[in-house]
Amino acid sequence: MVVQLEEQLGKFDLTLGRWCLLVALRLSGRAMLPSELSDDLAVTRANISNLLSALEQAGRIKREMDTTNRRRIFVRLTPDGHDVISKVWPVYEQTITQNVGSKLNLQELEQLKGLLKKLF
């Protein structure tokens, strides 16, 4: 499933890691510190730095210095970042459905939805 997902995300110049970072920012509904993103996604600070650099270069996120503490940097989605999430989400859902949903019966799907809602 990961291979199919990476293939679909690649059409939007995304990797799974970049996609997860964009979604984490969107779900938070606020600017986040790189350390928060690292903790949320369970990846190293070095990996977050690389993901942020690629997304910033693509214009999908913006890093801004905290005006109250110049040692802190906040990360926020740009309008292009929001736009790419809107475009990719249906493709992401379809890929997950084809690779996971087709293997579960209706009762198992409802159970999975309930568990995911509880987690997120």
Side-chain angles (χ1 to χ4, degrees):
M1 176 179 79
V2 173
V3 172
Q4 293 91 343
L5 194 52
E6 285 275 4
E7 185 179 295
Q8 294 301 317
L9 292 171
K11 295 175 183 176
F12 298 90
D13 192 30
L14 289 171
T15 62
L16 188 55
R18 292 176 193 170
W19 171 248
C20 290
L21 195 146
L22 290 174
V23 171
L25 278 170
R26 174 82 173 264
L27 290 174
S28 77
R30 62 178 176 81
M32 295 179 73
L33 298 168
S35 58
E36 292 176 305
L37 288 162
S38 176
D39 292 344
D40 281 1
L41 299 174
V43 298
T44 66
R45 307 283 162 99
N47 283 345
I48 286 296
S49 181
N50 290 335
L51 292 170
L52 291 174
S53 293
L55 288 168
E56 186 173 40
Q57 189 172 12
R60 294 175 174 167
I61 61 112
K62 183 172 180 157
R63 291 187 252 202
E64 300 170 339
M65 194 171 296
D66 181 351
T67 56
T68 63
N69 181 346
R70 296 179 56 88
R71 292 176 293 163
R72 292 177 15 150
I73 293 181
F74 286 110
V75 179
R76 71 177 67 253
L77 286 172
T78 62
D80 187 53
H82 284 282
D83 187 48
V84 79
I85 290 171
S86 296
K87 288 178 182 172
V88 174
W89 194 262
V91 175
Y92 174 77
E93 276 188 328
Q94 181 181 13
T95 305
I96 297 295
T97 299
Q98 287 173 345
N99 290 281
V100 176
S102 63
K103 295 175 175 63
L104 303 175
N105 65 37
L106 190 56
Q107 182 182 359
E108 292 167 331
L109 280 172
E110 289 304 316
Q111 211 174 8
L112 179 59
K113 284 180 190 175
L115 290 170
L116 290 172
K117 282 182 183 177
K118 190 172 190 176
L119 290 173
F120 301 101

